[in-house]
Amino acid sequence: MSGSSTGTIFKLTTFGESHGKALGGIIEGCPAGIEIDIDLIQDELNRRRPGQSELVSARNENDQVEFLSGIFEGKSSGTPIGFTINNQDHNSKDYGHLKDTYRPSHADYTYEKKYGIRDYRGGGRSSARETVCRVVAGALAKQVLEKIGIAFSTYVVQIGSEILDSEDFYSYDLIESSLVRCPDSEHSKKMETLISEVKELGDTVGGVILGHIKGVPVGLGEPVFDKLHADLGKSMLSINAVKGVEFGSGFNAAKMKGSEHNDLFDSKGRTRTNFSGGIQGGISNGMPIIFRVAFKPVATVMMEQDSINKQGHNVVIKGKGRHDACVVPRAVPIVESMAAITLLDSYLRNQTTQL
Amino acid sequence: MSGSSTGTIFKLTTFGESHGKALGGIIEGCPAGIEIDIDLIQDELNRRRPGQSELVSARNENDQVEFLSGIFEGKSSGTPIGFTINNQDHNSKDYGHLKDTYRPSHADYTYEKKYGIRDYRGGGRSSARETVCRVVAGALAKQVLEKIGIAFSTYVVQIGSEILDSEDFYSYDLIESSLVRCPDSEHSKKMETLISEVKELGDTVGGVILGHIKGVPVGLGEPVFDKLHADLGKSMLSINAVKGVEFGSGFNAAKMKGSEHNDLFDSKGRTRTNFSGGIQGGISNGMPIIFRVAFKPVATVMMEQDSINKQGHNVVIKGKGRHDACVVPRAVPIVESMAAITLLDSYLRNQTTQL
Amino acid sequence: MSGSSTGTIFKLTTFGESHGKALGGIIEGCPAGIEIDIDLIQDELNRRRPGQSELVSARNENDQVEFLSGIFEGKSSGTPIGFTINNQDHNSKDYGHLKDTYRPSHADYTYEKKYGIRDYRGGGRSSARETVCRVVAGALAKQVLEKIGIAFSTYVVQIGSEILDSEDFYSYDLIESSLVRCPDSEHSKKMETLISEVKELGDTVGGVILGHIKGVPVGLGEPVFDKLHADLGKSMLSINAVKGVEFGSGFNAAKMKGSEHNDLFDSKGRTRTNFSGGIQGGISNGMPIIFRVAFKPVATVMMEQDSINKQGHNVVIKGKGRHDACVVPRAVPIVESMAAITLLDSYLRNQTTQL
Amino acid sequence: MSGSSTGTIFKLTTFGESHGKALGGIIEGCPAGIEIDIDLIQDELNRRRPGQSELVSARNENDQVEFLSGIFEGKSSGTPIGFTINNQDHNSKDYGHLKDTYRPSHADYTYEKKYGIRDYRGGGRSSARETVCRVVAGALAKQVLEKIGIAFSTYVVQIGSEILDSEDFYSYDLIESSLVRCPDSEHSKKMETLISEVKELGDTVGGVILGHIKGVPVGLGEPVFDKLHADLGKSMLSINAVKGVEFGSGFNAAKMKGSEHNDLFDSKGRTRTNFSGGIQGGISNGMPIIFRVAFKPVATVMMEQDSINKQGHNVVIKGKGRHDACVVPRAVPIVESMAAITLLDSYLRNQTTQL
């Protein structure tokens, strides 16, 4: 049973390999009659794209989305929205050297063992290139959520050991003004410097992204297995390179006492603190949803590494071509997209709770 | 759309409130012909039960599972396995004082707003009592997984600031020999002391549970949205009081360089390190699966706290009745159960990957 | 992947064998806050029960439903509704002679081959006794649908070659006044006579049930695979002994010309004829939904028949115990229940079509 | 919740409107490592295409499938198979006259009411053009099923009142040698004549297609709601213009006695008769699966008809452009495709029944 879908009512199913003809997807369950701004969707794709700065990439590829159905005269028609993003360099022969080699901490070995066959070109289906489809659906979801009053602030709070200690809601413009999508200029500069240094060495580094979602109505999330943070957490963990996720107080909660962790109400049902991260009992409580997502360093390093090939022989490999020393800044729109997809789905699911 | 099911092929659907007549569930997709030891299932329920020691609880309730279908002459028959666990004190009137009050960091407020109606007795559906059903299905799943060679070691690695720095595989007996289910006797004692102190104050404390699963075959997990750790992570986040989950290097990965984080292969396809936590590209790689789950401190404290009632008036509440100063030790079989349910489901899903 | 669930938002999952301890189910997605009349549900169970007349059965068993969760102070609470119906004679040893024998046109052979194990007592999971759970959920669904203005008229239009040529909406009382649930007294008598004659011979006979649903709002049903009649049709075909289903003109449509089959509109959007059976393009059009369901004769006959046993040897078997010469009248509440479950699910699904 | 998917493990999700840029779909769960003959898939698309003879159509459009992912070096790779079929005349302005008019027995009215918006060009999503995607997935499924030994014989048994009384397995070539896909030459000629006469009048006519599937292993189908014939039946009823479906004895069973309807075993577990249609208790029994699907006459007639517009005013409309007097012959590959998709899904589901 395939795992290429996310969501239940608002649902995205994707296809596509890194170096196949195209990637694409089908978005089901978008409410009918919503005006859709396709340029905004393309803008989000551009945010995800490599090549936005010297820092984060070395190739400029053009990810152009084409919508094939489900939008009529500028509005969602209630029918499935099919879309594709062509791969421009899909005939590239650059990957022949990987045909028989399993790169460390990549999915080469596991795909080969699971399927008995593997599209080795650029990681095939396991490539993070697959996330373009998530960004398309997420950008659409955000347009719907905006009508309900839900807004997102997603940014980098950690690169390596450089940490921004904040969970505030920052403006989109402020976040985008930073090369590393860290809204604090001082931290942003330190992170830039760190990435440059790592890149110089041919190495890579991990980081953490924080999501702050405001305007979420009370009541989203379905007990007991589809708690809102369980669904959001799964969405985050499904993104390439993610190793952990936490909500509100997160892992820090383990150290806390109940008397300090409890979020006391004010008379309007809001809470004075937000250790819950906007979710209680798996249901949104109207406070901002706060979560953090940890990314491992990219596995492809421009350094020699021991590895093995199909025959089990030792080989030495070294990354070549473009080099992303840190993908965390580029992952910001992906994290935001997955959050938006999940929230819109939760919102629609909640519509049937009462007649 | 309800969220009362977990799994796709091996699937558990549950029902039941804390103080209704009974809780129960339906287990679908258990392979036919498996000998089932019902006593072992009851044993796991007993592990989860409050009242196992002075330390972790103050009430001794008897959770007796009754199987109603799907098991014939001691074996799974391939049909749905229905079961119930009766609530013995379901007529208790102890909860009248909560009828109109929203307890801080509980789900009272969110349930009331979502459904417009709330079973206020003992938390109703939001009570952790619901997890008995997970333990039944998990104990069954473990019996199936044992035939495949998969084994679990799940234990407490942190209570408050007391931390055991280990991810080893410990025996079931060693873990169970500790009152707090921490397999290191020195740390165990410190944790016991800490919980006693907290209990004395009427307060509560959080913690972290680690899961180590060995014998997992290569190939489990379904790209791209149902990656094995995404499914496991969702399962963990669906457990009451969980605030975060991480795999392998987890949040620590954010600080690491690719050159140190990459798990280099040996010639048999195993890896020298296991920062990946046994999963690469969302698919198990044959190495132990390692994950950590963070629990917040229990919200019910035996201390006065400000809160509000339905009318929005300020009230002062104080927990009464039994008092769990730390539920983390009791959560060990729940974490293990959810891991087992998810793994068996992943195993069965993988059976259809090739003809 | 088990097939024990029907519906998506309003969803029933069932368990239970004919001679296990109990049958039961979980109803998810019932909107919260609905007053539920449990006596009405029990009444529907009684309609389905054998032993209602000399004609249709020879045993009087008592099917008592017990609700275990999801109903609080007389109203649905939005949480899963668990229920059980105990089997009173579940220790019966009457079925030993079937342990090694495959009865013709029963599911003995196919269950044994599929699962490698078979609960042979009374057909086990394949027994029509399983439909009690459908009636519980259907009776609940009808209570919700009644609030929306949807009403059902379900009755027998054919037993053997006795045919009532009508698709009118008859009252519940009129239908129930007939021993065979045929609302036309003349046809009812002929059908009763026919069943008596067949029973005398130890034989059985099939029939057809018609469903007429009025008050269905325009817009239910989800193109393209979950067309309203596709979902209704599947629900009907899932009932034991059903061999065919048709909507509106049905098989007769094959003989018709487009010029006579087209349902012309009146100025209010209603149609002058209703060959469409209330559904166009898979979506309800506000006209009555009309469908017919064909039942085969019961396979258990009180006559000697050739069969085989597990070893492939020829054996002669003969039905014993109670004898239902015709189950079609008893199937009326089952058909109505499945229609109600499917319609309520369709209604709730449609709530998310527009924001 | 959208209804654009069919299947659970082997699963097709489709998108596309009649006059949008393209139609397409995603096929999930195709077992990895299967050699795929794309030309055979294109052949099946050509079978479905209008314009194959003077008789059945008046336009020759070219439906060219393009595969975008999931097939690597000629084999299925286990990842989702994305595909598109471009609409060549999607800019056609021929449909302006339908913008405000609801055609009788079309889905114009129901789509408009359900979604509040309607792509009126050529029926939009409700057009039978959508079935191209089903044929692509069905042709692929047949290639997988062929390896298991499952073969299909699908043909026309009725057009208007012309009926072929047979349920034999006929060869593909024999069926294709008939312009109306009726394998009996005498009946084929009569059907051709009938269609010509109807076409002359500008009218349309319905019909019945029979499916005979051989080589199905024992054990496919999942009790109790996903019985094999329930799933097959839903698949058939989801095809445009289908009004009924029956299995084995079908509606005729209503007239039969149990003593004549029971399929007696031979010593090998096969049955002497096949009134069950190859399915007992919802599970395949190894005998041929036999079913019949009834199609209504096409609603578009070349004659003046009364109708209404959006404003509720009476208008007179008349079909123009191409005219399909009878789509039943063209529906043969669609019926066969839906059967193949459902059977392959059932086959894969059954793989997890036992360890």
Side-chain angles (χ1 to χ4, degrees):
Chain A
M1 195 182 175
S2 173
S4 295
S5 293
T6 185
T8 59
I9 292 178
F10 184 81
K11 185 174 182 177
L12 169 68
T13 306
T14 71
F15 66 84
E17 279 84 41
S18 172
H19 286 67
K21 283 191 190 164
L23 298 103
I26 302 178
I27 300 164
E28 296 173 84
C30 181
I34 305 285
E35 277 190 47
I36 294 175
D37 185 332
I38 291 177
D39 290 342
L40 278 182
I41 296 173
Q42 185 61 50
D43 287 351
E44 286 297 293
L45 274 182
N46 296 347
R47 281 177 82 201
R48 194 211 72 97
R49 202 176 64 187
Q52 303 165 67
S53 76
E54 257 311 295
L55 202 61
V56 289
S57 171
R59 186 178 82 166
N60 198 326
E61 72 183 298
N62 185 18
D63 292 331
Q64 187 73 38
V65 63
E66 183 175 29
F67 286 97
L68 305 174
S69 68
I71 302 174
F72 184 64
E73 298 180 344
K75 291 183 179 171
S76 59
S77 66
T79 62
I81 298 172
F83 65 88
T84 52
I85 295 130
N86 285 328
N87 284 321
Q88 295 182 321
D89 54 356
H90 67 81
N91 288 319
S92 158
K93 299 291 182 199
D94 290 353
Y95 293 91
H97 64 295
L98 295 178
K99 189 172 178 177
D100 292 322
T101 302
Y102 303 136
R103 292 167 297 167
S105 289
H106 278 84
D108 302 338
Y109 176 77
T110 53
Y111 267 69
E112 178 103 17
K113 294 295 175 187
K114 181 179 184 70
Y115 297 109
I117 180 175
R118 171 171 67 98
D119 181 350
Y120 52 81
R121 299 167 304 166
R125 181 70 175 155
S126 75
S127 165
R129 180 149 177 71
E130 164 265 322
T131 56
V132 288
C133 299
R134 306 177 182 221
V135 172
V136 171
L140 182 71
K142 279 196 286 183
Q143 296 188 29
V144 183
L145 291 170
E146 199 185 13
K147 297 186 192 310
I148 305 161
I150 296 177
F152 295 81
S153 181
T154 315
Y155 50 93
V156 173
V157 290
Q158 183 176 346
I159 299 290
S161 298
E162 280 301 327
I163 298 177
L164 169 65
D165 182 20
S166 169
E167 54 183 50
D168 291 349
F169 191 97
Y170 296 97
S171 75
Y172 178 89
D173 288 348
L174 187 58
I175 296 165
E176 288 305 296
S177 71
S178 158
L179 280 180
V180 293
R181 296 200 167 104
C182 175
D184 179 88
S185 62
E186 197 179 337
H187 285 88
S188 177
K189 272 172 207 147
K190 286 182 184 165
M191 291 173 182
E192 291 170 37
T193 305
L194 174 58
I195 295 174
S196 293
E197 288 167 3
V198 166
K199 190 180 172 72
E200 200 72 30
L201 299 168
D203 212 340
T204 60
V205 66
V208 176
I209 290 173
L210 183 141
H212 178 136
I213 315 174
K214 68 179 183 187
V216 180
V218 187
L220 309 197
E222 303 298 322
V224 295
F225 294 108
D226 295 350
K227 291 186 166 88
L228 183 53
H229 56 295
D231 275 343
L232 282 169
K234 177 173 174 178
S235 290
M236 295 307 141
L237 289 162
S238 77
I239 299 172
N240 295 42
V242 171
K243 301 302 292 178
V245 62
E246 59 180 10
F247 293 83
S249 55
F251 273 85
N252 207 39
K255 295 180 190 153
M256 293 175 76
K257 301 277 166 54
S259 56
E260 50 181 338
H261 190 274
N262 281 351
D263 293 318
L264 303 184
F265 289 103
D266 67 18
S267 59
K268 292 174 183 166
R270 296 182 61 82
T271 61
R272 301 175 203 170
T273 50
N274 186 19
F275 293 115
S276 298
I279 301 170
Q280 282 170 338
I283 301 171
S284 62
N285 69 349
M287 296 295 293
I289 292 177
I290 307 289
F291 61 92
R292 284 172 210 78
V293 188
F295 288 78
K296 71 169 188 177
V298 171
T300 301
V301 293
M302 301 291 115
M303 306 160 90
E304 293 198 342
Q305 284 187 113
D306 293 339
S307 196
I308 58 167
N309 62 16
K310 269 194 191 184
Q311 291 72 37
H313 299 153
N314 296 323
V315 295
V316 173
I317 63 164
K318 184 178 172 179
K320 55 182 184 178
R322 58 173 161 157
H323 175 218
D324 262 337
C326 183
V327 290
V328 183
R330 280 181 58 204
V332 165
I334 303 168
V335 165
E336 193 165 294
S337 290
M338 289 307 297
I341 291 168
T342 305
L343 265 186
L344 178 52
D345 187 44
S346 300
Y347 181 85
L348 294 172
R349 287 176 75 165
N350 192 44
Q351 296 309 292
T352 63
T353 302
Q354 298 183 44
L355 263 197
Chain B
M1 195 181 175
S2 174
S4 295
S5 293
T6 184
T8 58
I9 292 178
F10 184 81
K11 184 174 182 177
L12 169 68
T13 306
T14 72
F15 66 85
E17 279 84 42
S18 172
H19 285 66
K21 283 192 189 165
L23 298 103
I26 303 177
I27 301 165
E28 297 173 83
C30 182
I34 305 286
E35 277 190 47
I36 294 175
D37 185 332
I38 290 176
D39 290 341
L40 279 182
I41 296 173
Q42 185 62 48
D43 287 350
E44 287 295 294
L45 274 182
N46 297 346
R47 282 177 82 201
R48 193 210 73 97
R49 200 177 65 187
Q52 304 165 68
S53 77
E54 257 311 295
L55 201 62
V56 289
S57 170
R59 187 178 81 166
N60 198 325
E61 72 183 298
N62 185 17
D63 293 331
Q64 188 72 39
V65 64
E66 183 174 29
F67 287 96
L68 305 174
S69 69
I71 302 175
F72 185 64
E73 299 180 344
K75 290 184 180 171
S76 59
S77 66
T79 62
I81 298 172
F83 65 89
T84 52
I85 295 129
N86 285 328
N87 284 322
Q88 297 182 321
D89 55 356
H90 67 82
N91 287 319
S92 160
K93 298 291 182 200
D94 291 353
Y95 292 92
H97 64 296
L98 294 179
K99 190 172 176 175
D100 292 322
T101 302
Y102 303 135
R103 293 168 295 168
S105 289
H106 279 84
D108 302 338
Y109 176 78
T110 53
Y111 267 69
E112 179 103 17
K113 295 293 177 189
K114 181 179 183 70
Y115 297 109
I117 181 175
R118 169 170 69 98
D119 181 349
Y120 52 81
R121 300 168 302 166
R125 180 71 175 154
S126 75
S127 167
R129 181 150 176 70
E130 163 266 324
T131 56
V132 288
C133 299
R134 305 178 183 220
V135 173
V136 171
L140 182 72
K142 278 195 286 184
Q143 295 189 30
V144 183
L145 290 170
E146 199 185 12
K147 297 186 192 309
I148 305 161
I150 296 177
F152 295 81
S153 181
T154 315
Y155 51 92
V156 173
V157 290
Q158 182 175 348
I159 299 289
S161 297
E162 281 301 328
I163 299 176
L164 169 64
D165 182 20
S166 168
E167 54 182 49
D168 289 350
F169 190 98
Y170 296 98
S171 76
Y172 177 89
D173 288 346
L174 187 59
I175 296 165
E176 287 305 296
S177 71
S178 159
L179 280 180
V180 294
R181 295 202 168 103
C182 174
D184 179 88
S185 63
E186 196 179 337
H187 285 87
S188 176
K189 273 171 206 146
K190 286 181 184 166
M191 290 174 183
E192 291 170 36
T193 305
L194 174 57
I195 294 175
S196 292
E197 288 167 2
V198 165
K199 190 180 172 72
E200 201 70 31
L201 299 168
D203 213 340
T204 59
V205 65
V208 176
I209 291 174
L210 182 140
H212 178 137
I213 314 173
K214 70 179 183 186
V216 181
V218 187
L220 310 196
E222 302 300 321
V224 295
F225 294 107
D226 295 350
K227 291 187 165 88
L228 182 54
H229 57 295
D231 275 344
L232 282 168
K234 177 173 176 179
S235 290
M236 296 307 140
L237 290 163
S238 78
I239 299 172
N240 297 42
V242 170
K243 301 302 291 177
V245 62
E246 60 180 10
F247 293 83
S249 53
F251 273 85
N252 207 39
K255 295 181 190 150
M256 294 174 74
K257 301 276 166 55
S259 55
E260 49 181 339
H261 190 276
N262 282 351
D263 293 318
L264 303 185
F265 289 103
D266 68 16
S267 59
K268 291 174 184 167
R270 296 183 61 84
T271 61
R272 302 175 202 172
T273 50
N274 187 18
F275 293 115
S276 299
I279 302 170
Q280 282 169 339
I283 301 170
S284 62
N285 69 349
M287 296 296 291
I289 292 178
I290 307 289
F291 61 94
R292 283 171 211 80
V293 188
F295 288 78
K296 70 169 188 177
V298 171
T300 300
V301 292
M302 301 292 113
M303 308 161 89
E304 293 198 339
Q305 285 187 113
D306 294 338
S307 196
I308 56 167
N309 63 16
K310 269 194 190 183
Q311 292 73 37
H313 299 153
N314 296 322
V315 296
V316 172
I317 64 165
K318 183 178 173 180
K320 55 182 183 178
R322 60 175 158 153
H323 175 217
D324 262 339
C326 184
V327 290
V328 183
R330 281 181 58 205
V332 165
I334 303 168
V335 164
E336 193 165 295
S337 290
M338 289 307 299
I341 292 169
T342 306
L343 266 186
L344 179 52
D345 187 44
S346 301
Y347 181 85
L348 293 172
R349 285 176 76 166
N350 191 44
Q351 296 310 292
T352 63
T353 302
Q354 297 183 44
L355 264 198
Chain C
M1 193 183 177
S2 174
S4 294
S5 294
T6 184
T8 57
I9 292 178
F10 184 81
K11 183 174 181 177
L12 169 68
T13 306
T14 72
F15 66 84
E17 280 83 43
S18 172
H19 286 66
K21 283 192 191 165
L23 299 102
I26 303 177
I27 300 165
E28 296 173 85
C30 181
I34 305 285
E35 277 190 47
I36 295 176
D37 186 332
I38 290 177
D39 290 342
L40 279 182
I41 296 173
Q42 185 61 49
D43 288 350
E44 286 296 294
L45 273 182
N46 297 347
R47 282 177 82 201
R48 193 211 73 97
R49 200 176 66 188
Q52 303 166 69
S53 76
E54 258 309 297
L55 202 61
V56 289
S57 169
R59 187 177 81 166
N60 197 327
E61 73 184 297
N62 185 19
D63 293 331
Q64 188 72 38
V65 64
E66 184 175 28
F67 287 96
L68 304 174
S69 68
I71 302 175
F72 184 64
E73 299 180 343
K75 290 184 180 171
S76 59
S77 66
T79 62
I81 298 171
F83 65 89
T84 52
I85 294 130
N86 284 327
N87 283 322
Q88 298 182 320
D89 55 355
H90 68 81
N91 287 319
S92 160
K93 299 290 182 201
D94 291 353
Y95 293 91
H97 64 294
L98 294 180
K99 190 172 175 176
D100 292 322
T101 302
Y102 303 135
R103 293 167 295 168
S105 289
H106 278 83
D108 301 338
Y109 176 77
T110 53
Y111 267 69
E112 179 103 17
K113 294 295 175 188
K114 180 178 185 69
Y115 297 109
I117 180 175
R118 169 170 68 97
D119 181 349
Y120 52 82
R121 300 167 302 166
R125 180 72 175 154
S126 75
S127 166
R129 180 149 178 71
E130 163 265 322
T131 56
V132 288
C133 299
R134 305 178 183 221
V135 172
V136 171
L140 181 72
K142 278 196 285 184
Q143 295 188 31
V144 182
L145 290 171
E146 198 184 13
K147 296 186 194 309
I148 305 162
I150 296 177
F152 295 81
S153 181
T154 316
Y155 50 92
V156 173
V157 291
Q158 183 176 348
I159 299 290
S161 297
E162 281 300 328
I163 299 176
L164 169 64
D165 183 19
S166 169
E167 54 182 49
D168 290 349
F169 191 97
Y170 296 97
S171 75
Y172 178 88
D173 287 348
L174 187 59
I175 295 165
E176 287 304 296
S177 70
S178 159
L179 281 180
V180 294
R181 295 199 168 104
C182 175
D184 179 88
S185 63
E186 196 180 337
H187 283 88
S188 176
K189 273 171 207 148
K190 285 182 186 166
M191 290 174 182
E192 291 170 37
T193 305
L194 173 58
I195 295 175
S196 292
E197 288 167 2
V198 165
K199 189 179 173 71
E200 200 71 30
L201 298 168
D203 212 341
T204 60
V205 64
V208 176
I209 290 174
L210 182 140
H212 178 138
I213 314 173
K214 69 179 184 187
V216 180
V218 187
L220 310 195
E222 301 300 321
V224 294
F225 294 108
D226 295 349
K227 291 185 166 89
L228 182 53
H229 57 293
D231 275 344
L232 282 169
K234 178 174 174 177
S235 290
M236 296 306 140
L237 289 162
S238 77
I239 299 171
N240 297 40
V242 170
K243 301 301 292 177
V245 61
E246 59 180 10
F247 293 83
S249 54
F251 273 85
N252 206 39
K255 294 181 190 152
M256 293 174 74
K257 302 276 165 56
S259 55
E260 50 181 339
H261 191 275
N262 282 352
D263 293 319
L264 304 185
F265 289 104
D266 68 17
S267 59
K268 292 174 183 166
R270 297 184 61 81
T271 61
R272 301 175 202 171
T273 50
N274 186 19
F275 292 115
S276 298
I279 302 169
Q280 282 169 338
I283 301 170
S284 62
N285 68 350
M287 296 295 293
I289 292 178
I290 307 288
F291 62 93
R292 284 171 210 81
V293 187
F295 287 78
K296 71 169 187 177
V298 171
T300 301
V301 293
M302 300 292 114
M303 307 160 90
E304 293 198 339
Q305 286 187 111
D306 294 339
S307 195
I308 58 169
N309 62 16
K310 269 195 190 184
Q311 292 72 37
H313 299 152
N314 297 322
V315 295
V316 172
I317 65 165
K318 184 178 172 180
K320 55 183 183 178
R322 60 174 158 155
H323 175 218
D324 262 337
C326 183
V327 291
V328 183
R330 280 181 58 205
V332 164
I334 304 167
V335 164
E336 194 165 293
S337 290
M338 290 305 299
I341 292 168
T342 306
L343 265 186
L344 179 52
D345 187 45
S346 300
Y347 181 84
L348 294 171
R349 288 176 75 166
N350 191 45
Q351 296 309 291
T352 63
T353 303
Q354 299 184 43
L355 264 198
Chain D
M1 194 182 176
S2 173
S4 296
S5 293
T6 185
T8 58
I9 292 177
F10 184 81
K11 185 174 181 177
L12 169 67
T13 306
T14 71
F15 67 84
E17 280 84 43
S18 172
H19 285 67
K21 282 192 191 164
L23 298 103
I26 303 178
I27 300 164
E28 296 173 84
C30 181
I34 305 284
E35 277 190 47
I36 294 175
D37 185 332
I38 290 177
D39 290 342
L40 279 182
I41 295 173
Q42 185 61 49
D43 287 351
E44 285 296 293
L45 273 182
N46 297 346
R47 281 177 83 201
R48 194 211 73 97
R49 199 176 66 189
Q52 303 165 70
S53 76
E54 257 310 295
L55 204 60
V56 289
S57 170
R59 187 178 82 166
N60 198 327
E61 72 183 298
N62 185 18
D63 292 331
Q64 187 72 38
V65 63
E66 183 175 28
F67 287 97
L68 305 174
S69 68
I71 302 175
F72 185 64
E73 299 181 343
K75 290 183 179 172
S76 59
S77 66
T79 63
I81 299 171
F83 64 88
T84 52
I85 295 129
N86 286 327
N87 283 322
Q88 296 182 320
D89 54 356
H90 68 82
N91 287 318
S92 159
K93 299 290 183 200
D94 290 352
Y95 292 91
H97 64 295
L98 294 179
K99 189 171 178 178
D100 292 322
T101 302
Y102 302 137
R103 292 167 297 167
S105 288
H106 278 84
D108 301 338
Y109 176 77
T110 53
Y111 267 69
E112 179 103 18
K113 295 294 175 188
K114 182 179 184 68
Y115 297 109
I117 181 176
R118 170 171 67 97
D119 180 349
Y120 52 81
R121 299 167 304 167
R125 181 70 174 155
S126 74
S127 165
R129 180 147 177 72
E130 163 265 322
T131 56
V132 289
C133 299
R134 305 178 182 220
V135 172
V136 170
L140 181 72
K142 279 196 286 183
Q143 295 188 29
V144 182
L145 290 170
E146 198 184 13
K147 297 188 192 308
I148 306 161
I150 296 178
F152 294 82
S153 180
T154 314
Y155 50 92
V156 173
V157 290
Q158 183 177 348
I159 299 289
S161 297
E162 281 300 330
I163 299 176
L164 169 65
D165 183 19
S166 168
E167 54 183 49
D168 291 349
F169 191 97
Y170 296 97
S171 75
Y172 178 88
D173 287 348
L174 188 58
I175 295 165
E176 287 304 298
S177 71
S178 158
L179 280 180
V180 293
R181 296 202 168 103
C182 175
D184 179 88
S185 63
E186 197 179 338
H187 284 87
S188 175
K189 273 172 206 146
K190 286 182 184 166
M191 291 172 181
E192 292 170 37
T193 304
L194 174 57
I195 294 174
S196 293
E197 288 166 2
V198 166
K199 189 180 173 72
E200 199 73 28
L201 298 169
D203 212 341
T204 60
V205 66
V208 176
I209 291 174
L210 182 140
H212 179 137
I213 315 174
K214 69 178 184 187
V216 181
V218 187
L220 310 196
E222 301 300 320
V224 293
F225 294 108
D226 295 349
K227 291 186 165 87
L228 183 54
H229 56 295
D231 275 344
L232 282 169
K234 177 173 174 178
S235 290
M236 296 306 140
L237 289 162
S238 77
I239 300 171
N240 297 41
V242 170
K243 302 301 292 177
V245 61
E246 59 180 10
F247 293 83
S249 54
F251 274 84
N252 206 39
K255 295 181 190 152
M256 293 174 75
K257 302 275 165 55
S259 56
E260 51 181 337
H261 190 275
N262 282 351
D263 293 318
L264 303 184
F265 288 104
D266 68 18
S267 59
K268 292 174 183 166
R270 297 184 59 83
T271 61
R272 303 175 201 169
T273 50
N274 186 18
F275 292 115
S276 299
I279 302 170
Q280 282 170 339
I283 301 170
S284 62
N285 69 349
M287 297 293 294
I289 292 178
I290 307 288
F291 61 93
R292 282 171 211 80
V293 187
F295 288 78
K296 70 169 187 176
V298 171
T300 301
V301 293
M302 300 292 114
M303 306 160 89
E304 294 198 339
Q305 285 187 113
D306 293 339
S307 196
I308 58 168
N309 63 16
K310 270 194 190 183
Q311 291 73 35
H313 299 153
N314 295 322
V315 295
V316 173
I317 64 164
K318 185 178 172 180
K320 54 183 184 178
R322 59 174 160 156
H323 175 219
D324 261 338
C326 184
V327 290
V328 183
R330 281 181 58 204
V332 164
I334 303 168
V335 164
E336 194 165 293
S337 290
M338 289 307 298
I341 291 168
T342 306
L343 266 186
L344 179 52
D345 187 44
S346 301
Y347 181 84
L348 294 172
R349 287 176 75 166
N350 192 45
Q351 296 309 291
T352 63
T353 303
Q354 298 183 46
L355 266 197

